[in-house]
Amino acid sequence: MINKWRASFKGQRAIVVCSIIILLFFVVTLLAPWIAPHDPVKVNLLQKLKSPSLDHWLGTDHLGRDTLSRLIYGARVSLGFATLIFLSSLIIGILVGSVSGYVGGWVDSVLMRFCEGVMAFPNLVLVLGIVGIFGPGLMQVLLALMMVQWVYYARICRNMVVSLKERNFIAAARISGSSSWTIIRKHIIPNVQRPIVVMGTLEMGWAIMDISALSFLGLGIQPPNAEWGAMIHEGTGYIRSHPELMIYPGVMILLVVITFNILGEALSERYGIAKR
């Protein structure tokens, strides 16, 4: 009993700490224009590769741009667009999964075979193929990641709906004359929403890593805009003389991804939700 209480307390503490860290990151992204000490894209070659000082707390990059300001604005891209990918994929996945699981028949077969076909390819390989078709750019990357991510939510949601639709309260709603859409909207989606959202916290970390990886390869956000993966790419030419240009954004990616992963694991254990 005591061990169970201790485990519960540790899980609760992890959720609280990780939630606070993530909240702070989002606050920083929202207040970036007021927090950032300098313009993140302003070039000043006279100040290039400066060491940390009172004017530039983390120094400057190879074009004299303030590193701290670029990290702050880079968080807006990484976190902001990862959240957009998460919410869009979540909404599409829940809708498609709910319809597929509840309607069944040929609708279920067609939708699930499509999802299985997408899931047969590694995420990054499929995203690279889509970006290769549409060309490099942040919007193309976002579209590609959305096209890949929603199928996982749809698959998980469909399996939950198949078992859920046999429950007595669904049968009662059907007998009372409620339409299929009303049942899905009022009874199905609310019951699958929380487990899917909990599992989605783990996907946030992957979304951030995918955005950063594609930007590192030059397929995501384009210069001079700031993004953590792009900043690492720009710092590769100075890895020996100024490795901090790669270390700073790398540490930010590591911290955010680990925080989301720990939060997702803690929430999954707390609510007894199996991870995909």
Side-chain angles (χ1 to χ4, degrees):
M1 184 67 180
I2 295 177
N3 291 335
K4 184 178 180 180
W5 179 84
R6 287 178 177 174
S8 177
F9 176 74
K10 289 181 179 179
Q12 182 70 23
R13 184 170 57 184
I15 293 172
V16 172
V17 172
C18 291
S19 298
I20 291 174
I21 294 174
I22 292 171
L23 179 62
L24 288 175
F25 269 105
F26 277 104
V27 169
V28 168
T29 61
L30 291 174
L31 301 179
W34 297 275
I35 294 177
H38 297 276
D39 185 342
V41 298
K42 184 179 180 180
V43 175
N44 185 356
L45 296 179
L46 297 177
Q47 296 289 327
K48 67 177 184 179
L49 300 175
K50 291 290 185 179
S51 301
S53 63
L54 292 178
D55 191 31
H56 301 283
W57 289 8
L58 296 180
T60 60
D61 65 3
H62 62 295
L63 295 177
R65 298 172 297 190
D66 184 66
T67 301
L68 177 59
S69 299
R70 291 184 63 78
L71 286 175
I72 293 173
Y73 273 86
R76 302 188 87 183
V77 175
S78 297
L79 282 175
F81 286 105
T83 303
L84 179 61
I85 292 169
F86 164 68
L87 293 177
S88 302
S89 303
L90 184 70
I91 292 171
I92 297 172
I94 288 179
L95 288 175
V96 172
S98 298
V99 171
S100 177
Y102 185 79
V103 175
W106 67 269
V107 174
D108 180 41
S109 298
V110 171
L111 291 175
M112 288 302 103
R113 296 301 81 77
F114 176 79
C115 291
E116 289 169 1
V118 174
M119 294 170 66
F121 296 91
N123 276 10
L124 195 56
V125 172
L126 191 58
V127 169
L128 287 173
I130 296 173
V131 173
I133 294 173
F134 293 104
L138 186 58
M139 297 309 299
Q140 290 86 328
V141 167
L142 294 179
L143 178 62
L145 289 173
M146 289 176 190
M147 292 173 64
V148 170
Q149 290 294 332
W150 73 266
V151 298
Y152 295 98
Y153 299 116
R155 184 70 179 175
I156 295 170
C157 183
R158 179 261 180 191
N159 294 336
M160 296 172 62
V161 171
V162 168
S163 61
L164 190 65
K165 71 178 182 179
E166 303 299 330
R167 300 284 184 87
N168 292 333
F169 69 93
I170 299 295
R174 193 181 299 118
I175 293 172
S176 68
S178 298
S179 65
S180 296
W181 172 243
T182 300
I183 293 174
I184 292 174
R185 180 169 54 87
K186 291 187 176 181
H187 302 286
I188 297 292
I189 291 180
N191 282 280
V192 301
Q193 185 173 298
R194 187 173 72 176
I196 299 296
V197 170
V198 169
M199 287 183 286
T201 57
L202 293 169
E203 298 299 325
M204 278 288 291
W206 285 107
I208 292 171
M209 289 184 64
D210 288 341
I211 292 173
S212 299
L214 291 168
S215 294
F216 177 83
L217 295 174
L219 301 175
I221 193 168
Q222 300 299 306
N225 297 310
E227 195 278 329
W228 291 340
M231 291 176 67
I232 294 177
H233 174 73
E234 292 173 351
T236 54
Y238 304 90
I239 188 172
R240 293 184 180 275
S241 58
H242 294 84
E244 68 275 5
L245 296 179
M246 297 179 63
I247 292 175
Y248 291 146
V251 169
M252 298 300 288
I253 295 173
L254 181 65
L255 177 60
V256 174
V257 171
I258 287 178
T259 303
F260 272 112
N261 285 349
I262 293 176
L263 178 61
E265 294 281 349
L267 289 172
S268 299
E269 293 177 2
R270 178 175 176 81
Y271 296 109
I273 298 171
K275 302 177 286 297
R276 73 170 174 87

